[in-house]
Amino acid sequence: MSDYLIELGRKEYVEFSQRIAGSFPKLTFGAFANRDLCNELAYAGKDLFGDVIESMQALLIDPSVGLSAVDIARDDASTDHQNLVIGAAAATAICASLFESRTNPIGQTPFWLHMTPPGVAKASGIDIQYNNTTDVVLHTDWYCSNDEAYVPNRIGLFNLLVSYKRPGNFHWLPFSKWSEFTEFSKNDLLRSDISFELLPQLLVTKDGNSRFGEKYLRTGPIVKDGEAGPIYFLNGRIDRNGRNSTQTVAEFDRLRSALKESYGRFEIAQAERRLIVLNNLTCFHGRDRMEDPIPGAPVQRAFLRFMDDTRVSFGKTQVFHD
């Protein structure tokens, strides 16, 4: 087993399930908008998952690691749907002990649900336009609020369903392991205002359908100083249509090449019911494209994204249209 992977056993999972069912017997994904439920999940998680949370926190605060993962068990006596919802509840409980999750404004839940039905990305053209490479693209996560772009301190990713025969790996590179971190962090061009197209995300709406969100144009630096050192907003596609100087674009391309060839990165398999929590302010991350979808599966992948409400601002955004 990986040094960064922890197991949440069936015994603790079943006990957690029974406790939550006692207070909320008809648990659904929509119920996560209930503050009383989220508070109950946080208390139950601290009580039942204390050793798991302590081990995860130790890995997260280690600057040479910055990531921890936990496999959440199943209860064979429960239905698939019950395991999905209770698995999400367990992931929510763990994340609540590691950071304060931002509330999703769409459904008022402490997470974003991303779901990929077969063919939706390809049919929209997004897959072809933005994901036309098999290379792992290292980046940091972001979100937009009130026309401001933010980088959250920590993020959590929980795979509810993975319907691929070859799901590949999740990769991350702690800043402390990147030999060229100091050089690029002091680069004046990367600290100046740069225009980027921020790529749309596949979201699940209130009616349960999947759609791509807005595309945004962000103008701001790639790197700035934070309380504990340089912080990166590395996400999206640099504008090459005149908004940036040729020298700026060249420096960005050099940064991308350096990260692509960097040593010191770690990897862990992408797996169903695996929760990954990452320090987004001290690590880059990326993942392999999942390949060989399982025929007949109604959903190719479904996962929850948790984002820390502690964040760093990185400039203004505006909705962008081609």
Side-chain angles (χ1 to χ4, degrees):
M1 183 182 294
S2 167
D3 293 336
Y4 319 108
L5 178 60
I6 302 160
E7 285 193 4
L8 176 62
R10 183 178 179 277
K11 178 178 178 294
E12 292 79 10
Y13 175 76
V14 170
E15 187 174 350
F16 173 81
S17 175
Q18 292 172 343
R19 180 180 298 192
I20 300 305
S23 301
F24 300 89
K26 294 183 179 180
L27 192 60
T28 65
F29 279 101
F32 287 91
N34 184 322
R35 294 298 95 190
D36 290 338
L37 169 61
C38 290
N39 290 335
E40 178 66 22
L41 294 179
Y43 291 136
K46 289 178 181 178
D47 187 23
L48 298 174
F49 306 155
D51 291 343
V52 168
I53 292 167
E54 183 178 348
S55 297
M56 294 181 74
Q57 178 72 347
L59 291 167
L60 285 164
I61 64 175
D62 185 341
S64 67
V65 181
L67 176 145
S68 59
V70 56
D71 281 346
I72 297 175
R74 291 175 55 90
D75 179 8
D76 294 335
S78 298
T79 66
D80 288 344
H81 178 74
Q82 288 170 333
N83 273 303
L84 276 177
V85 178
I86 295 299
T92 300
I94 292 169
C95 286
S97 290
L98 296 172
F99 57 89
E100 184 176 350
S101 294
R102 180 172 181 255
T103 299
N104 179 354
I106 295 177
Q108 301 302 309
T109 59
F111 51 71
W112 279 250
L113 172 60
H114 302 271
M115 188 165 60
T116 310
V120 67
K122 186 175 181 180
S124 70
I126 297 294
D127 187 56
I128 296 172
Q129 185 177 2
Y130 290 120
N131 301 316
N132 58 358
T133 176
T134 56
D135 294 332
V136 175
V137 180
L138 294 175
H139 61 278
T140 54
D141 273 15
W142 67 281
Y143 63 81
C144 178
S145 178
N146 297 323
D147 299 325
E148 193 91 4
Y150 295 98
V151 174
N153 180 12
R154 289 179 175 179
I155 61 170
L157 304 169
F158 178 57
N159 277 323
L160 288 164
L161 293 170
V162 176
S163 300
Y164 289 87
K165 297 178 183 177
R166 292 187 292 157
N169 293 323
F170 183 94
H171 304 256
W172 78 101
L173 174 64
F175 293 171
S176 65
K177 294 288 188 178
W178 183 30
S179 61
E180 296 170 285
F181 174 73
T182 301
E183 174 194 345
F184 281 101
S185 297
K186 292 180 178 180
N187 189 306
D188 289 337
L189 283 174
L190 300 182
R191 287 175 170 267
S192 63
D193 282 347
I194 305 173
S195 292
F196 281 87
E197 296 174 31
L198 300 180
L199 310 187
Q201 296 176 332
L202 188 61
L203 306 172
V204 175
T205 59
K206 286 184 178 180
D207 57 10
N209 294 319
S210 294
R211 67 166 180 82
F212 281 94
E214 299 281 8
K215 286 191 291 184
Y216 291 93
L217 181 71
R218 181 185 77 89
T219 301
I222 290 177
V223 59
K224 63 189 294 185
D225 291 325
E227 293 182 0
I231 301 169
Y232 279 73
F233 189 120
L234 187 58
N235 202 303
R237 188 171 63 177
I238 193 168
D239 184 274
R240 300 176 186 269
N241 297 317
R243 291 188 179 94
N244 300 307
S245 70
T246 55
Q247 188 178 7
T248 298
V249 172
E251 282 302 291
F252 173 78
D253 289 342
R254 193 169 72 87
L255 167 64
R256 274 286 178 219
S257 295
L259 286 172
K260 182 179 177 180
E261 298 167 3
S262 63
Y263 296 95
R265 71 172 65 175
F266 300 97
E267 63 182 37
I268 190 170
Q270 299 184 105
E272 198 167 276
R273 299 184 69 82
R274 177 164 294 172
L275 170 66
I276 292 174
V277 180
L278 176 85
N279 263 347
N280 194 47
L281 297 186
T282 63
C283 298
F284 300 114
H285 68 279
R287 66 177 183 86
D288 295 326
R289 178 190 289 185
M290 295 183 176
E291 296 182 335
D292 202 0
I294 296 173
V299 175
Q300 290 179 340
R301 183 190 183 209
F303 71 98
L304 304 181
R305 184 192 304 273
F306 301 84
M307 291 191 283
D308 198 337
D309 207 34
T310 302
R311 71 245 179 126
V312 177
S313 173
F314 263 86
K316 294 295 183 180
T317 63
Q318 63 187 73
V319 176
F320 173 73
H321 300 286
D322 293 319

